Amino acid sequence: MAGKRIRVLLTREAYKSCFAKPSAKFLSTILSLEKGDLIEVKGEETFYPLERALRTLREAGFRILQEESDGVEYTVIAER
């Protein structure tokens, strides 16, 4: 049975329009996901670097399924 899929934005727009910090939302989201759940992270290097996002996900026990980056924006899909 497939788990849920959650999207988190770590972009300039997310930082401008969100009352709660997107980085805090990212951390609370990864802590709340269960085995089989997926997280899709769309970010910008300027606001939350890709390497930091990957390290955070791996340290939280996620397996990186897909990683795309153009050097400015990135998308990561990972499974708990």
Side-chain angles (χ1 to χ4, degrees), residues 10-13 42-49 72-74:
L10 299 172
T11 62
R12 175 187 346 219
E13 287 76 26
K42 291 192 171 278
E44 295 176 10
E45 287 287 345
T46 310
F47 297 96
Y48 202 98
V72 177
E73 298 177 332
Y74 61 85

Side-chain angles (χ1 to χ4, degrees), residues 48-65:
Y48 202 98
L50 172 60
E51 288 305 316
R52 184 174 173 192
L54 292 172
R55 185 176 59 246
T56 301
L57 288 165
R58 287 184 180 118
E59 288 176 358
F62 284 80
R63 181 172 59 101
I64 307 302
L65 301 177

Side-chain angles (χ1 to χ4, degrees), residues 3-78:
K4 60 186 168 190
R5 182 177 182 140
I6 303 292
R7 177 186 275 181
V8 176
L9 300 176
L10 299 172
T11 62
R12 175 187 346 219
E13 287 76 26
Y15 277 86
K16 283 182 177 179
S17 65
C18 189
F19 292 114
K21 293 184 179 188
S23 54
K25 181 179 179 184
F26 173 54
L27 295 175
S28 67
T29 299
I30 64 174
L31 292 173
S32 70
L33 294 178
E34 298 177 1
K35 186 174 181 172
D37 290 346
L38 297 177
I39 185 169
E40 178 180 354
V41 181
K42 291 192 171 278
E44 295 176 10
E45 287 287 345
T46 310
F47 297 96
Y48 202 98
L50 172 60
E51 288 305 316
R52 184 174 173 192
L54 292 172
R55 185 176 59 246
T56 301
L57 288 165
R58 287 184 180 118
E59 288 176 358
F62 284 80
R63 181 172 59 101
I64 307 302
L65 301 177
Q66 183 179 345
E67 172 190 340
E68 296 177 12
S69 175
D70 64 7
V72 177
E73 298 177 332
Y74 61 85
T75 300
V76 175
I77 298 174

